[in-house]
Amino acid sequence: MVADALIYHPSVDHYLRYVATTVGRDKLLRTLQYFSRFYAWYLYRTNHTASEIAPYEAIKKQFGLSRKLMRVGKFVEHFQAAAKASDARNMDPVLKYCAIGRQLGYGFYLSFDAITYFDAAGIKPNSAAKRLQREAYKAWLFGLICNTVAGFYTLYHLRQRALKIDKKDAEGTVEQKKLQRERNVASLQLVSDLCDIAVPSSAVGYLNLDDGIVGLAGTVSSLIGVWTAWKKTG
């Protein structure tokens, strides 16, 4: 029967595994949040009415608030990851310090971000919320810069390794395909990080970007996150 074929289709099982993960749900919400930010800007620039723009402004605000709540407590994971990276003995020094910087940046970002939740939700106003949110964005930016440096460094070394491969050899062909997969993963992550940098850089005033660019950049990085999370649950 058609209904049974749909219900028991492998894609449905894959979807259920995906939405069962916090990361999967977060990336979907993030995509809608940043697309709404972009589309609200687009509607405003094309002279649409406030009533037409309002639903997308609401999605941007409410989904952003929902994601902020979902992040509460997650800072512990990143501080633990920073400690583990600092204890790693066989790790490339550059990648090691980039990993420590990234995890500390994300850890402090999530710590400051969590403190501002009650103010953002209107539960308990906090006079220091704006300052803390600004510090949160700075920490996030630091983490992203560390990850971007690691991305460029990884791609450089993968290229150097590829130059040493004997393509005529069978093992060399296998190694080349392996390096290509690693390069694809690193390149995709680098694009995501570069897009994400637009968000905190704009928020703290380092870059003068309008909501259209920030929303579009956030949408691209979010879609990359959706794709990555989808593949991991396959």
Side-chain angles (χ1 to χ4, degrees), residues 68-88:
K68 185 186 282 284
L69 178 59
M70 289 170 64
R71 293 193 298 266
V72 172
K74 200 172 185 296
F75 64 90
V76 178
E77 173 189 335
H78 292 283
F79 285 136
Q80 183 188 61
K84 289 181 178 179
S86 68
D87 291 335

Side-chain angles (χ1 to χ4, degrees), residues 16-28:
L16 292 174
R17 290 194 300 272
Y18 178 83
V19 295
T21 65
T22 303
V23 172
R25 294 193 301 274
D26 177 72
K27 296 304 180 185
L28 286 174

Side-chain angles (χ1 to χ4, degrees), residues 26 40 85-86 95 136 169 176 187:
D26 177 72
S86 68
L95 293 179
D169 183 48
Q176 185 179 25
S187 297

